[in-house]
Amino acid sequence: MSVRLCALFAAALVASAQPPPFSNLVRSFIKIDAPVVALTNVRVIDGTGAPARQRQTVIIRNGNIAEMGDSGRVVIPDGVTPIDLAGKSIIPGLVMVHEHLYYPSGSGVYGQLGASFIRLYLAGGVTTMRTGGNVNGIMDLKLKQLIEQGAQPGPAIDATAPYLNGPNAFVQMRDMKDAAEAKRHVAYWADLGSTSFKAYMQITRDQLRAAVEEAHARGLKITGHLCSVTYAEAADIGIDNLEHGFLAATDFVSDKQPDACPGQGAGQRTVAALDPDGAPFKALVRKLIDRKVALTSTLTVFETFTPGRPLPPGLDVLLPELKTQFENGYRRTAQNTDSIYTTLFPKALALERAFVRAGGTLIAGTDPTGGGGVVPGFSNQRQLELLVEAGFTPLEAIRIGTLNGATFLGRNARVGSIAVGKQADLVVIDGDPSTAIADVRKVETVFKQGVGFDPAKLIASVSGRVGLW
Ligand SMILES: [Zn+2]
């Protein structure tokens, strides 16, 4: 079959990606909206890990990638003014899986900032995301719906239910008593539309098992930021995903009691001392791979705990009080030369690299929690830079932040890579992130379903007020 026939066949098979009618608010952030868009002379980094292709023309029709090939070969449809992207690149819209619509605003309280965060995520190039736990109940689901309806700008969202946890100290998190309650929690939130679940640090094995069974019975996935349950136990129970690389593993704590969290610090001291080539680590990696458990890298949040690291990007969008609060914390971190993170952070990078080199599936997120400073959109770009620091090539890092996430979420038939027939979720970058990953910060336009959004306008609309809403 010729390339052209293949393309037509693929186009016939896929649903139209045509976006919904947009509200005036959403319209105010759009800079390119036409039934047919032609991008010419662009470098295509397709998200599969394949080498960049130079001087390509991409035709977007009704929200889908209708045609792609060498500029000069691909014919620009009559009446369409091409957009010349010479010297620029496109990558797939980012697909990030440990995002939140809340932020640590003070004194153990997490402010509900979803309304501004969805704009920042989109501006940063994120067109699909999973929230990795919520502490508000309904906002994740509601914003997901409003975005789908065209009433709000933002990425497509896989909305997680509120956390599944045992008795804990968070004022915005439930204390489950038993396995029956875990099952009811999953059933209730799945019925409301949650498409993902997150187990947390004090859950018991029985509760986790009940939650996994109920989620899987509904065709849904469950992840965990664990402590009371080890990674190996969770893998045997059937969890789909584990958060924070290996930094939440308590598998190596010698006096670990079943179903009890020995403290995150106790686990992290053992992880900091792990040998990536040693038998205990290799056995855990083997189990995760055999059980098909994906691992989420959230290096961005750990970087903010580590002395000697640069200030994270995007702080200027924060409410001045929140910016100052983070900067004060940053100064304290810088002075804490005894911090475990001095050894733990580089170890985190090495362990994630070892996991992937052994055949494990790594996906990426940012986790805008900790002591603040992980700013949506900006931190998604930073996460790709940190993957490169961990030893991945820029092409591998981009794949981890796009196609790997889409595949895990079961959305890879439509998004996650740049290919004819797929939805036109594309980030236009003024540079070449296949050779200089820091160029991912130079986002010029974010196409979602073929509609081009203006990142500068999205950011300006919330700048200095992120913290209020
Ligand atoms: Zn998180």
Side-chain angles (χ1 to χ4, degrees):
M1 209 185 282
S2 76
V3 171
R4 179 168 281 271
L5 271 177
C6 275
L8 288 172
F9 186 59
L13 278 180
V14 298
S16 166
Q18 227 154 356
F22 290 124
S23 66
N24 288 338
L25 171 72
V26 174
R27 257 179 239 290
S28 71
F29 302 117
I30 291 174
K31 64 176 180 184
I32 301 167
D33 188 7
V36 181
V37 175
L39 310 176
T40 59
N41 299 312
V42 68
R43 183 183 299 105
V44 174
I45 300 162
D46 71 5
T48 66
R53 273 167 290 166
Q54 310 293 334
R55 286 180 294 283
Q56 300 288 294
T57 288
V58 178
I59 309 290
I60 301 168
R61 194 185 299 274
N62 297 327
N64 283 322
I65 300 168
E67 205 176 351
M68 176 165 64
D70 293 338
S71 293
R73 187 186 73 74
V74 176
V75 178
I76 309 294
D78 284 345
V80 174
T81 306
I83 300 169
D84 186 357
L85 297 180
K88 297 174 183 175
S89 306
I90 51 173
I91 64 171
L94 302 179
V95 183
M96 292 268 173
V97 298
H98 191 131
E99 309 317 315
H100 292 298
L101 299 178
Y102 65 82
Y103 183 91
S105 44
S107 198
V109 170
Y110 293 87
Q112 303 306 312
L113 307 188
S116 60
F117 275 19
I118 53 176
R119 299 185 194 180
L120 292 173
Y121 277 120
L122 187 63
V126 180
T127 51
T128 303
M129 67 186 215
R130 177 185 71 181
T131 54
N134 89 52
V135 292
N136 66 73
I138 215 71
M139 188 190 262
D140 293 38
L141 274 172
K142 191 64 176 279
L143 286 175
K144 166 197 170 73
Q145 289 160 3
L146 291 172
I147 291 166
E148 284 172 358
Q149 292 160 7
Q152 288 278 338
I157 297 178
D158 256 297
T160 38
Y163 290 86
L164 289 146
N165 202 10
N168 68 86
F170 288 95
V171 296
Q172 291 158 291
M173 204 181 281
R174 181 170 174 170
D175 308 312
M176 296 192 305
K177 289 181 289 296
D178 53 28
E181 198 175 345
K183 178 182 162 68
R184 282 200 307 276
H185 182 102
V186 171
Y188 176 82
W189 285 97
D191 284 345
L192 288 186
S194 296
T195 48
S196 179
F197 293 88
K198 171 101 172 265
Y200 209 61
M201 292 172 64
Q202 283 79 23
I203 198 166
T204 65
R205 290 165 299 172
D206 282 350
Q207 289 168 343
L208 180 60
R209 192 175 292 107
V212 166
E213 283 171 2
E214 186 64 24
H216 286 180
R218 293 162 174 269
L220 300 173
K221 287 182 174 172
I222 177 165
T223 190
H225 168 173
L226 301 177
C227 181
S228 48
V229 178
T230 67
Y231 278 26
E233 288 168 343
D236 284 336
I237 287 169
I239 203 163
D240 300 287
N241 183 197
L242 292 162
E243 301 302 307
H244 307 306
F246 289 95
L247 296 201
T250 49
D251 299 60
F252 308 104
V253 176
S254 57
D255 56 352
K256 164 89 174 65
Q257 299 301 307
D259 295 328
C261 170
Q264 194 93 88
Q268 292 188 339
R269 281 189 291 279
T270 63
V271 173
L274 265 184
D275 175 4
D277 294 317
F281 178 68
K282 283 188 158 175
L284 177 57
V285 166
R286 180 47 41 207
K287 180 176 285 281
L288 298 183
I289 293 170
D290 288 348
R291 300 281 182 185
K292 297 186 167 53
V293 181
L295 201 66
T296 305
S297 171
T298 63
L299 296 171
T300 37
V301 69
F302 297 118
E303 182 179 38
T304 63
F305 302 155
T306 307
R309 302 293 303 184
L311 269 171
L315 298 176
D316 286 342
V317 303
L318 297 174
L319 193 69
E321 288 86 339
L322 284 185
K323 183 172 185 246
T324 303
Q325 189 168 289
F326 174 74
E327 286 168 345
N328 291 340
Y330 179 83
R331 273 190 288 277
R332 284 192 299 276
T333 298
Q335 288 154 9
N336 183 11
T337 46
D338 298 338
S339 169
I340 181 84
Y341 281 93
T342 302
T343 47
L344 188 59
F345 186 68
K347 185 59 65 75
L349 274 59
L351 297 178
E352 289 181 9
R353 188 177 61 237
F355 176 68
V356 173
R357 295 294 177 244
T361 297
L362 192 67
I363 52 184
T366 62
D367 195 12
T369 60
V374 181
V375 181
F378 297 92
S379 58
N380 299 88
Q381 297 161 4
R382 181 67 185 151
Q383 173 65 23
L384 296 184
E385 294 176 346
L386 291 171
L387 287 170
V388 172
E389 186 174 330
F392 298 105
T393 67
L395 290 171
E396 287 174 319
I398 291 166
R399 182 190 160 113
I400 290 165
T402 59
L403 186 57
N404 282 14
T407 302
F408 178 82
L409 296 177
R411 292 171 177 252
N412 54 310
R414 299 293 299 126
V415 301
S417 66
I418 301 176
V420 169
K422 280 199 175 184
Q423 186 167 304
D425 287 7
L426 313 168
V427 186
V428 178
I429 289 168
D430 188 9
D432 181 6
S434 72
T435 54
I437 194 65
D439 280 357
V440 293
R441 298 188 185 206
K442 301 174 188 165
V443 175
E444 196 176 273
T445 308
V446 180
F447 283 96
K448 185 187 169 213
Q449 295 175 284
V451 174
F453 288 86
D454 185 337
K457 279 190 183 169
L458 286 161
I459 292 167
S461 74
V462 301
S463 197
R465 285 177 292 165
V466 175
L468 289 174
W469 44 275

